[in-house]
Each structure stands twice: as C-alpha cells, then as structure tokens.
Amino acid sequence: MSSLRPLTISIAAAAMSLSLACGGATPDGGQEAESPYAAHEVAPGEYDDYYGFSSGGHSGEVRIVGIPSMRVLKRIPVWNIDPGSGWGITNESKAMMGGKWVGDTHHVQGSYVDGTYDGKWLFVNDKANNRLARIRIDIFEVDATVEIPHTQGTHGVFPQRAPTTEWVILNSEFRTPLVNDGSGDMLDASTYGGVHTIVDAERMEVVAQVQTEVNLDLAATDYSGRYSFATSYNSEGGATISEMLASDLDYLVVFSWDNIKAALANNDYRTVDGVPILDGTEGTGLTAYIPVPKNPHGVNVSPDGNYAVVSGKVSPTASVIDITMLDDVFAGNIEPRDAVVAEPEIGLGPLHTTFDGRGNAYTSLFIDSQEVKWNIQRAIDLQANPQEGETAVVDRLDIHYQVGHTMASMAETNEADGRYLISLNKISKDRFLNVGPLKPENDQLIDISGESMVLLKDESAYIEPHDIILVRRDIIEPHVVDRVRLEEHPEAVTQSSITRDGNRVTVRLTATAPVFGLQEVEVNEGDEVTFIVTNTDEIPDLAHGFAISNYNIQMVVGPFQTKSVTFTADKPGVYWIYCTNFCHALHLEMRLRFIVRPRS
Ligand code: RUQ
Ligand code: CUA
Ligand code: CA
C-alpha cells in the first residue's frame, strides 16, 4: 500500500479532485525470470533506434535520451547555468540568457518539412520567464532565444508542420493585462486576456500576437499549415481555482492562419511595444471557439492530419475534432461544436494523447494512473451509432504512477510508426531506492507494436521532465557534426596573444592537448580581463576545460569551438588556470599561471 499522503485540492468545486494518491497499486511484473525488455535491450556498443528529446521542466534544460535503452546521452543547458559546458558563464551564452538564470522547459518540439522532422532545430519554451529557445541539432546547443512579451505562463509551443517550419506558435496559459505596467484596476480579472504568439522560426522574432479573452494552455498545429490550436481551461475568465472550474464546458480555440495572414496584410491590428496585436476574440473571424468539456489539457493532432484530440482532464473524456470540418466552422456553415465527431469516455484525468499511426490513440490518465489505448474510428462510429456496452477502448495499462505526458515514436509526424510509447510519470514512489524527500520521476517504456501494451522498462529521471518526442535515428544522425567550423566564431583563436587597451586586457588562448598556448598571463588588479579560448584540437571528441582557481569561472570548450569570458581581476596573487576535462595523459599538467599584480 501507498504511504503517500494524498495532496487533494481542497475545494468543494473540485469534486473530481486531481489527487496525487495512487489508489494503492503495487509494482507488477518486476520479478519475472525473462523480462519482456530483453528483446529490446541495447547491448554494449549498440545504438538506440530513436533520439528522445525531453524537456527538463524546472531544471531549465533539455535532455537527449536514447530509446529504447532510456540512457541519458546529453543534457543541453537552456535556461540554467551549467559549468560542464560553461553555459551561463561564457559571454556567448550570457547574451542569450539575458540576465535570467532560471527557466521552466515544458515542451520541446522539432522543426518540420512536409509533416515530419527535418533534423534542423528543436524549440523549447520557458514557462517561468516567458521565452522561446532554439537548439541547433547539428551541435545540440542553443543558438537563439526570444522573449515573448505580453504573456505569462508561456506554455504550449508548436512549430508549423507544413510545408516547412516558418512559424512557431506559443500560448500564454495565464491571463494577464496586455499592457501589464500597473495601470488600471489590476484586480479586475475581466480585463485580462491570453495571447497566441507567432514567432518567425528563422529570425527568432515575434511576428504578431493574437489576443483572446480566454487562457490558452497546450498548443498544436495542423498538417497543412492553415490552423493552430490551443486548449483553454479558463473560459470562465476566473482568477481563482473555483472560478476556473465553474463551467462544464471550456474551449478548444482554433486559429485560422489564412485569416491571420489576411489581417496582417490589411494592417488590421494595433501595435503595442512594436508588436502587432490582432483581435482574436469570439466573432472576429480569426478564431473559432469549440466547446469541449471540462478544463481540457492536451491537444494532439493525429498523424493522418484529420483529427485534433483534446484530453478532458476534469472530464473523463477525449474530444475528437474533425479538422476537415473547420473550413465550414469558419465559414459559418456549421456550429463549432458540430466539429466534435466523438467524445469517448476513457478514464479519469486524461492529460495528453499520442498515436501509433494505425488509427489508435493512447491517452495518459493522471488520476487512474493508466495509459488507455482507444480506436479513433471506433469512437466516431459509436458516437454516430451508440451501442449498449460497446466502447472504443482497446486496452489499458497500469503505470507507476500519475502519468503526465505520453508520447509514441514519431507520433507528432506523418511517419508515426507505433513501436514505442513513453509514459512520463510524475511520481516514482516505491519503484526505486529511497533517495530522500525529493524523489526521481519514473519514465516508463512501453511496447505498443501489438494489440496489448507491454511494459518494458522503468527509468528514473531527475525532476521533472515534462514532454518528450521520439525521433528516428536516421533523421537526426546525418545532421550531427563532430566539430564546428573554426571560423563560426568571429574571434576564433589560432595564435595565442595578450593585448592591452587601457585597463582592458584581452587574452587569446589556444588549447591543444596537453597545453594551452600561453604558460602565464600577467594583469593588474582591477583590470577587466577577457579570455577567448579556442579548442584547436582536431580530434572529434576531445574537449578542453578552462577554470580559473577562486575566480568562479569554469567552462568546457568542444573541438574547434571558441568561448569567451569577461571578468574583473579583483584578487591579487597567483591563480592557476587549469583544464577541467580529462584530455590527455598530461591533462593534469595542462595549466598556466594567472598572475594578478596588486594595485600599488
Ligand atoms: S503540461 S502534464 Cu506543461 Cu505539457 Cu501537460
Ligand atoms: Cu585539456 Cu585536460
Ligand atoms: Ca474551466
């Protein structure tokens, strides 16, 4: 039995409390002699079939996980400081972080061409400080960021899927005043709104924002480049949890890109802080508000591009919206709710839905702690023709415990292959050694190639991954490089030197195992010192580190990369600069003296 104290939301309105109790499930299947995972094991020296790109939640990072081994292959710092790479310490990364050192990554998505991944970029949001970051897949480092104005709770993010990713859209989960400068009656929540932000993927600049009266939570784009979607759980415009739960129906908000583009071309907007703000409230023609029950969460589009599936969260249902009917909704030929072609009952606490490319949907059930497999066409047929005792549900699998996101292999593309399903479980509870109050999460690997789901593997994850996408290896591998081009950094160093301009000292330093290009650097106390370090080693996996003792500076520089750091030499004395990354038999000798002469 569980010893976890239920953390129930203690308000009367939440009769269906979204509790963290797990109902006393016990671990199952752990002690069989032959684990079903054996057939999927990635032996030493073998490679995984998929790259998993996972958002690290409040760790602020993105992680690369091999699937099906579940090995964590890399952590990509985004909105966090990482001495292992110097992220947040180097001048280059500081410029991209803009003085904000924490973030909350929820959703990582890849760039697309014709409905599948093109292997170029990943995009990831920052819910805490309202930013979007772009990661270059060739080197798996952030190369651009953009602040999203007029928003809080920047949550759902999704790139355009076709023909290519020109736009990336983001939702603001929290309603706020659009101009949030303390003016007006700040307590009057009826004046707040949400915004659907459009970012240019190439330039990483905000193109426009579409304002709505409701909040906008999860996001998706369609497969034609004509629509985007946002779930809204706060159609009530409430500021308290009971207000947000007052109504039985909320919305899936659909944004018409044709009409947005026309409004932009006709200058049909106002400009606030340099950003075009379009009116997307009900009746303006830019949006359709499709009523769905109740406080819905995820919206996911089926790989055939035909359906948007909204997971009901407080309602035990999923709502299936027929995307081919949206033109009629926007033309006023049918009511928005007419586009909901099925609403099967699937279980308690549906959060996210994913697909196997064979017509089946898999929805995470937070309260039931289950993955539920159901057939979309069957749900549509039963909606049209209800039959006593019949259900669209095909299979259920208990997970451990309280699943948030779930994702199948290639499921957010038109190449969904229905091999693996990942269940990102918020609570691991009794599945691992006890490591104190703050426990790992439990990411579970499930085989979905057959009729029934088969649990294959538990993997602990440092809190708290949110979402993951599973991308076939052959899409990513050709793009990944072993080293950057030396000249990519305008200040790349090929010859070490020290130059002085007044009290500004610039040290250009090469690093080739096992020596830095200089053996000592002398400066005066109070000098502003910039070190520019280039790793000039040609060997593909030979990184060098650069740390200055007692100066709070530490960074790793990959092959042919250049990184710089600027600081004030405020402590006189002798300080060893050393390589932090084991690179050579003489790695320990790879160091130089930094001599700071006291001000006389
Ligand atoms: S959310 S557990 Cu931030 Cu993706 Cu749904
Ligand atoms: Cu270079 Cu250790
Ligand atoms: Ca609501």
Side-chain angles (χ1 to χ4, degrees):
M1 274 299 285
S2 151
S3 59
L4 185 83
R5 191 153 44 94
L7 302 171
T8 43
I9 301 166
S10 58
I11 64 154
M16 279 187 100
S17 78
L18 302 181
S19 142
L20 285 173
C22 89
T26 53
D28 60 12
Q31 300 307 315
E32 277 103 286
E34 176 73 0
S35 154
Y37 181 66
H40 302 265
E41 192 168 359
V42 182
E46 284 185 356
Y47 291 166
D48 282 287
D49 292 343
Y50 299 88
Y51 284 81
F53 300 115
S54 163
S55 47
H58 44 65
S59 71
E61 64 189 19
V62 165
R63 299 169 193 166
I64 308 179
V65 183
I67 310 290
S69 75
M70 310 289 278
R71 298 182 290 213
V72 178
L73 305 176
K74 189 167 192 168
R75 295 163 46 186
I76 307 170
V78 183
W79 315 116
N80 57 324
I81 294 172
D82 180 8
S85 66
W87 193 257
I89 296 162
T90 63
N91 295 338
E92 293 78 8
S93 58
K94 277 178 166 174
M96 278 185 277
M97 292 180 79
K100 294 174 183 158
W101 310 113
V102 292
D104 189 12
T105 61
H106 279 228
H107 305 109
V108 52
Q109 306 288 351
S111 53
Y112 286 83
V113 62
D114 297 331
T116 193
Y117 299 120
D118 66 0
K120 199 169 168 192
W121 290 318
L122 301 172
F123 298 93
V124 63
N125 73 313
D126 172 11
K127 179 169 169 174
N129 280 318
N130 301 295
R131 294 174 286 184
L132 176 71
R134 184 177 71 190
I135 294 168
R136 267 172 59 176
I137 283 181
D138 61 344
I139 55 171
F140 287 119
E141 286 183 15
V142 175
D143 79 329
T145 62
V146 55
E147 298 221 9
I148 311 300
H150 312 133
T151 68
Q152 285 177 35
T154 298
H155 194 213
V157 51
F158 221 101
Q160 179 179 351
R161 284 193 244 224
T164 60
T165 298
E166 284 172 39
W167 283 0
V168 178
I169 52 108
L170 297 112
N171 287 335
S172 60
E173 185 189 331
F174 308 147
R175 300 168 72 250
T176 57
L178 185 80
V179 178
N180 193 20
D181 60 0
S183 60
D185 179 1
M186 288 192 281
L187 282 175
D188 179 6
S190 72
T191 63
Y192 304 175
V195 290
H196 193 62
T197 300
I198 301 165
V199 170
D200 183 295
E202 180 85 42
R203 290 186 287 120
M204 285 293 276
E205 286 169 16
V206 174
V207 174
Q209 295 186 305
V210 186
Q211 203 183 1
T212 60
E213 50 288 66
V214 300
N215 86 320
L216 303 170
D217 187 16
L218 269 295
T221 57
D222 74 341
Y223 277 86
S224 70
R226 294 187 53 226
Y227 291 110
S228 52
F229 306 94
T231 50
S232 171
Y233 62 75
N234 187 13
S235 63
E236 299 89 343
T240 65
I241 188 166
S242 52
E243 286 168 5
M244 294 183 216
L245 284 160
S247 149
D248 283 340
L249 290 173
D250 289 289
Y251 292 121
L252 176 71
V253 185
V254 185
F255 296 83
S256 160
W257 288 21
D258 296 345
N259 297 351
I260 288 171
K261 284 174 184 165
L264 284 171
N266 298 333
N267 296 322
D268 195 3
Y269 55 79
R270 65 200 169 109
T271 302
V272 180
D273 307 322
V275 178
I277 306 285
L278 290 82
D279 183 358
T281 55
E282 219 172 334
T284 56
L286 301 190
T287 48
Y289 288 72
I290 300 180
V292 290
K294 167 182 185 170
N295 286 43
H297 189 51
V299 53
N300 298 85
V301 174
S302 58
D304 58 13
N306 289 337
Y307 303 107
V309 177
V310 175
S311 306
K313 195 169 77 187
V314 180
S315 167
T317 54
S319 303
V320 180
I321 288 86
D322 186 337
I323 292 173
T324 66
M325 293 168 81
L326 292 177
D327 286 353
D328 277 333
V329 171
F330 275 92
N333 300 335
I334 57 173
E335 291 299 313
R337 178 73 190 164
D338 293 343
V340 181
V341 291
E343 213 148 67
E345 230 177 83
I346 51 174
L348 295 183
L351 289 184
H352 295 278
T353 299
T354 188
F355 309 94
D356 62 9
R358 298 186 294 269
N360 299 305
Y362 300 76
T363 302
S364 55
L365 300 175
F366 182 84
I367 298 174
D368 277 342
S369 272
Q370 276 182 344
E371 294 278 353
V372 55
K373 174 182 178 181
W374 52 282
N375 186 272
I376 300 171
Q377 190 57 50
R378 182 93 179 116
I380 295 169
D381 293 346
L382 284 171
Q383 181 89 5
N385 246 321
Q387 288 171 43
E388 193 60 40
E390 290 297 309
T391 168
V393 171
V394 178
D395 189 32
R396 291 178 187 280
L397 181 76
D398 288 336
I399 54 79
H400 312 86
Y401 307 90
Q402 320 265 209
V403 52
H405 273 274
T406 189
M407 186 63 73
S409 41
M410 294 294 290
E412 290 295 340
T413 73
N414 55 20
E415 299 186 295
D417 60 16
R419 289 184 65 200
Y420 292 112
L421 178 74
I422 303 281
S423 181
L424 297 178
N425 308 320
K426 294 295 169 197
I427 310 283
S428 60
K429 219 192 284 252
D430 50 7
R431 302 292 277 195
F432 305 115
L433 285 177
N434 192 347
V435 290
L438 216 51
K439 313 242 188 308
E441 296 195 4
N442 185 13
D443 297 350
Q444 290 186 301
L445 177 73
I446 296 159
D447 179 0
I448 55 166
S449 61
E451 187 69 1
S452 307
M453 295 177 272
V454 180
L455 176 61
L456 297 178
K457 197 173 199 287
D458 279 20
E459 187 63 73
S460 64
Y462 185 58
I463 52 170
E464 61 145 3
H466 272 251
D467 200 0
I468 190 168
I469 55 171
L470 275 57
V471 184
R472 267 193 350 256
R473 176 183 149 189
D474 63 280
I475 294 175
I476 299 297
E477 269 185 318
H479 297 274
V480 184
V481 299
D482 284 328
R483 55 171 186 241
V484 296
R485 287 174 298 112
L486 193 64
E487 62 278 13
E488 244 188 64
H489 195 291
E491 307 259 26
V493 182
T494 50
Q495 189 76 50
S496 297
S497 65
I498 306 174
T499 52
R500 174 178 285 278
D501 174 12
N503 70 339
R504 289 201 175 144
V505 179
T506 303
V507 184
R508 294 184 173 80
L509 195 63
T510 57
T512 304
V515 287
F516 288 109
L518 297 167
Q519 291 291 290
E520 7 349 273
V521 169
E522 263 190 61
V523 302
N524 299 319
E525 183 185 357
D527 282 348
E528 185 197 285
V529 180
T530 298
F531 274 90
I532 306 171
V533 183
T534 299
N535 176 346
T536 38
D537 253 301
E538 301 229 3
I539 301 167
D541 42 14
L542 205 59
H544 295 293
F546 177 93
I548 308 179
S549 305
N550 291 347
Y551 262 91
N552 197 31
I553 288 167
Q554 190 189 322
M555 60 192 187
V556 165
V557 190
F560 279 21
Q561 279 192 312
T562 298
K563 290 179 183 172
S564 66
V565 60
T566 300
F567 61 98
T568 302
D570 54 5
K571 290 179 282 286
V574 176
Y575 299 92
W576 284 99
I577 294 175
Y578 71 100
C579 175
T580 55
N581 201 67
F582 209 107
C583 57
H584 191 274
L586 294 172
H587 154 76
L588 296 172
E589 288 84 350
M590 187 167 176
R591 52 193 165 103
L592 66 139
R593 281 182 297 174
F594 181 50
I595 294 168
V596 183
R597 299 215 170 267
R599 217 189 321 242
S600 46

